[in-house]
Amino acid sequence: MEVPRKIGIGILMIVPAFVGAGALWDLFHGSWLPVFGWIILMVLCTGVIVSDKFSRA
């Protein structure tokens, strides 16, 4: 995968990270633990996608 595509995927994955973190913040009444867990999950998902683990060779 080309570098600009990887950067684009990383930027695009910021959107669900922000939206999900905000929803969890509101759902758990201001608790940071689920927010940090969501961010870690999004970083892992982005890493798997960018590292071509889902590519069909």
Side-chain angles (χ1 to χ4, degrees):
M1 186 182 307
E2 304 86 24
V3 174
R5 185 174 173 96
K6 289 181 181 182
I7 293 171
I9 290 171
I11 292 170
L12 184 67
M13 292 297 284
I14 291 173
V15 174
F18 275 125
V19 172
L24 287 172
W25 177 264
D26 188 45
L27 187 65
F28 288 98
H29 305 291
S31 176
W32 283 103
L33 189 60
V35 173
F36 287 139
W38 178 253
I39 292 172
I40 291 170
L41 180 69
M42 295 306 294
V43 167
L44 292 174
C45 287
T46 304
V48 167
I49 292 169
V50 169
S51 68
D52 289 334
K53 297 292 183 186
F54 289 130
S55 65
R56 298 180 199 163

